[in-house]
Amino acid sequence: LMDHTVYRAPEGETTEWEDLQRKFGNLPKLAPKKDDYYAEEEEPADARAEMDGKAVDELREMEDDFDDDRALAEYRRKRIAEMQAKAARSKFSGLKDISRDEYVHEVSEASARHWVVVFLYLPGHDHSKLLARALTDASMRHRDVKFVRIQSDQAIEGFPERNVPALFLYHEGKLVEQIITLRTLAGTSVNADVVEWVLAQHGAVTTELEEDPRPELVAAARSEVARLRHGVRGRRVGGSDEEGSDDE
């Protein structure tokens, strides 16, 4: 018997004979190499990583580098659109002081383009100070909403002090909601979360808060008041006992 030696090419390579057999359909086609699957993706992935975090102007400068890759060009366009949209939404920050003469332009007319929250306050008013801090924090979270403030007696002549502080919500040129005093804003526990939640209920902002923060804040405040009152009563009783013992 003759010894037949069969030559096999190294793994991943083919012989000339195997290539001819596949050409005539006598052998099945080879599956693509693993490297072939990713060869075309490696460069776009690297390019995307390079583009992440770039400013709009920097992305525009990189455009010529990717003209031959439509996927990357589309990615670049989307990134620029996202960044421009974000920049357009981030117009405002903080509480802007306005006067009575500016009210129509800064509030009524401006609300045709975006929500406007008007804060009516009085200088030196304790509850006004509390709400001012909460509104300032909330305005930094929602820079697509315009927050302005005006002294209550300048905005509305004769506005009752008992109704201060107050919030007026404007949208599409109209006053859509009035929030009078801190009564519905968790009282003296008002904070940015409370403001955000209440504004979200009226559609002025979006929120990631899953539940109303007010009940927990109010309960905590009541508990603290009860604790302090109990402590005061205890000190009074202790003081009376001590005085009685001295008299004896």
Side-chain angles (χ1 to χ4, degrees):
L1 293 177
M2 295 181 63
D3 182 18
H4 292 280
T5 301
V6 178
Y7 173 75
R8 295 185 181 277
E11 184 177 355
E13 299 181 8
T14 61
T15 65
E16 184 176 352
W17 181 86
E18 288 173 330
D19 292 339
L20 287 172
Q21 294 304 309
R22 286 191 174 88
K23 181 177 179 180
F24 292 105
N26 296 327
L27 288 176
K29 293 183 178 180
L30 287 174
K33 299 178 183 178
K34 181 179 179 180
D35 292 344
D36 292 338
Y37 284 116
Y38 301 100
E40 296 182 359
E41 295 184 6
E42 287 176 356
E43 183 177 344
D46 292 341
R48 288 189 181 93
E50 184 182 352
M51 285 193 292
D52 284 341
K54 294 289 186 181
V56 173
D57 291 341
E58 291 176 313
L59 286 171
R60 287 199 179 102
E61 292 174 1
M62 296 170 66
E63 182 177 7
D64 293 341
D65 297 337
F66 308 115
D67 283 345
D68 58 338
D69 194 312
R70 285 179 291 181
L72 280 175
E74 180 63 22
Y75 177 81
R76 183 194 61 80
R77 283 193 293 270
K78 288 180 179 180
R79 284 276 292 125
I80 290 176
E82 289 171 0
M83 296 170 72
Q84 288 175 332
K86 182 178 180 180
R89 291 194 300 268
S90 301
K91 288 184 175 181
F92 314 107
S93 64
L95 283 169
K96 180 179 181 179
D97 289 293
I98 63 171
S99 65
R100 177 184 296 181
D101 292 339
E102 297 172 313
Y103 199 96
V104 172
H105 173 69
E106 295 286 352
V107 177
S108 302
E109 294 177 356
S111 69
R113 298 182 296 277
H114 38 68
W115 281 87
V116 179
V117 177
V118 183
F119 170 40
L120 274 61
Y121 73 101
L122 283 174
H125 188 265
D126 289 341
H127 286 190
S128 292
K129 293 177 182 177
L130 291 174
L131 186 52
R133 284 196 291 267
L135 287 169
T136 299
D137 291 342
S139 71
M140 301 305 293
R141 297 181 186 177
H142 303 282
R143 298 182 63 186
D144 55 332
V145 175
K146 187 175 186 178
F147 290 79
V148 301
R149 66 179 173 184
I150 181 172
Q151 290 189 34
S152 58
D153 52 355
Q154 289 186 14
I156 304 174
E157 188 173 352
F159 191 81
E161 184 175 346
R162 66 178 180 275
N163 290 344
V164 177
L167 296 179
F168 290 174
L169 310 186
Y170 280 79
H171 187 51
E172 295 180 347
K174 299 178 182 178
L175 174 63
V176 296
E177 186 62 35
Q178 299 181 49
I179 301 170
I180 306 299
T181 75
L182 299 182
R183 186 174 59 84
T184 60
L185 296 173
T188 55
S189 297
V190 63
N191 59 22
D193 284 348
V194 170
V195 171
E196 178 178 303
W197 180 268
V198 172
L199 294 182
Q201 305 315 298
H202 298 289
V205 302
T206 57
T207 181
E208 294 182 359
L209 295 172
E210 297 181 353
E211 58 183 20
D212 189 341
R214 291 174 292 181
E216 184 176 348
L217 289 170
V218 171
R222 287 175 177 170
S223 177
E224 179 64 11
V225 170
R227 186 187 68 80
L228 292 174
R229 285 177 177 172
H230 179 74
V232 170
R233 284 198 297 268
R235 286 195 295 273
R236 286 176 179 171
V237 171
S240 298
D241 290 342
E242 290 174 4
E243 291 174 2
S245 61
D246 290 340
D247 292 339
E248 293 176 357

